[in-house]
Amino acid sequence: LYNGNNHTSGNVPIDSNVYEQNTNVTVLGNTGALQRTGYTFEGWNTESNGSGISYSVGDTFSITSNVTLYAKWKVNEYTVTFKNPDGTVLKTETVQHGSNATAPENPTRIGHTFTGWDKGFTNITEVLTVTAQYQVNEYDIHFDSKGGSSVNSQKADYGSKLSAPVPPTKEGYNFAGWYKEENLTTAWNFATDTVPENGITLHAKWDTKKYTVTFNNHDGTEILTVTVEHGSNAIAPSNPTRIGYTFTGWDKDFTNV
């Protein structure tokens, strides 16, 4: 007698032979296509819990009394893989059919906040890949105009590019760009640079304006031309001479140009 032992489909094989005591019995195969959801057929056993004598298809044994052979089932196992969005494997686990997988510790990703997994991993019934989900962080971007006109802060996502603000102004200076460090070492390139973790403060660079001061004679003849930085004083040439005249000075001041 064959018993499907909790099978969910198919039929048990039927052995219509009548055996005398101590005659050999040949174990039948799974001719009725027995199946049990989540399990694989592995032969027969004399006990329903698999603790008796196991027989494979085609085995023989000497019969001494009525025997029931129970289908022997092995629970299926599946691989559950936890990954990062870039494909990096965080954890791999083997889980029996109908059981739950255990997630790894919450992963981390620079500039992002972990928000969970893309699918559930309870009651596993097949091979499964579970992918971590993240939300990009938003950071504050500050602009230090270093004495120039005020520039409003921005909020921007990690890894994104910034929109260049309207350049600040500062009397006597030309704006020369934004820099990543307070000591103005590395210029920020709005076309290629992206927002770093925790945001950034960008610092304005200023070039002092320079002016040309020209000293002319009364007839328009140039005596001297000098270049002077904003707020500095020009240095006059030696007092010019003119036949029949005495030099009395210059027509305007040239300090704090």
Side-chain angles (χ1 to χ4, degrees):
L1 178 66
Y2 291 86
N3 185 296
N5 198 14
N6 296 318
H7 69 289
T8 52
S9 65
N11 299 294
V12 295
I14 297 175
D15 188 348
S16 58
N17 294 315
V18 177
Y19 296 96
E20 294 183 4
Q21 192 173 20
N22 297 318
T23 59
N24 285 337
V25 176
T26 299
V27 177
L28 300 179
N30 187 11
T31 56
L34 288 176
Q35 292 186 3
R36 181 180 177 186
T37 302
Y39 291 78
T40 299
F41 177 78
E42 286 198 327
W44 306 95
N45 194 277
T46 56
E47 298 292 338
S48 61
N49 62 5
S51 62
I53 301 172
S54 292
Y55 294 104
S56 299
V57 176
D59 284 350
T60 60
F61 64 92
S62 178
I63 191 167
T64 58
S65 62
N66 290 336
V67 175
T68 298
L69 295 180
Y70 297 90
K72 185 178 178 181
W73 301 103
K74 180 182 179 181
V75 64
N76 292 338
E77 294 183 331
Y78 311 104
T79 299
V80 179
T81 303
F82 293 86
K83 289 185 176 181
N84 251 329
D86 63 359
T88 303
V89 175
L90 302 171
K91 179 186 178 183
T92 299
E93 182 179 1
T94 300
V95 180
Q96 290 187 342
H97 179 88
S99 297
N100 303 332
T102 303
E105 293 185 2
N106 290 348
T108 58
R109 182 181 176 189
I110 294 174
H112 294 74
T113 298
F114 174 73
T115 58
W117 303 98
D118 68 337
K119 57 177 68 74
F121 40 88
T122 60
N123 189 28
I124 303 299
T125 59
E126 60 184 352
V127 173
L128 188 67
T129 297
V130 185
T131 304
Q133 301 291 287
Y134 297 91
Q135 179 176 332
V136 64
N137 293 339
E138 183 180 68
Y139 297 118
D140 291 323
I141 311 301
H142 301 291
F143 298 90
D144 173 16
S145 65
K146 289 190 174 294
S149 57
S150 177
V151 177
N152 291 332
S153 297
Q154 298 181 14
K155 288 185 178 295
D157 288 345
Y158 170 81
S160 65
K161 296 177 182 177
L162 296 176
S163 298
V166 175
T169 58
K170 184 178 181 181
E171 184 179 357
Y173 294 84
N174 291 317
F175 176 69
W178 296 104
Y179 280 72
K180 300 176 184 180
E181 307 89 5
E182 193 166 6
N183 61 0
L184 309 178
T185 301
T186 310
W188 180 272
N189 188 326
F190 285 91
T192 59
D193 284 329
T194 57
V195 175
E197 186 179 21
N198 299 320
I200 194 171
T201 295
L202 298 178
H203 306 273
K205 181 180 179 181
W206 298 101
D207 290 336
T208 305
K209 288 183 178 179
K210 295 181 178 180
Y211 311 106
T212 298
V213 178
T214 303
F215 294 86
N216 286 338
N217 220 329
H218 70 286
D219 60 359
T221 304
E222 182 180 309
I223 300 173
L224 176 69
T225 297
V226 294
T227 300
V228 181
E229 288 189 347
H230 178 85
S232 299
N233 303 332
I235 299 176
S238 300
N239 291 344
T241 60
R242 180 182 178 190
I243 297 174
Y245 289 82
T246 299
F247 175 73
T248 59
W250 303 98
D251 66 342
K252 56 177 64 73
D253 184 43
F254 43 87
T255 61
N256 191 28
V257 175

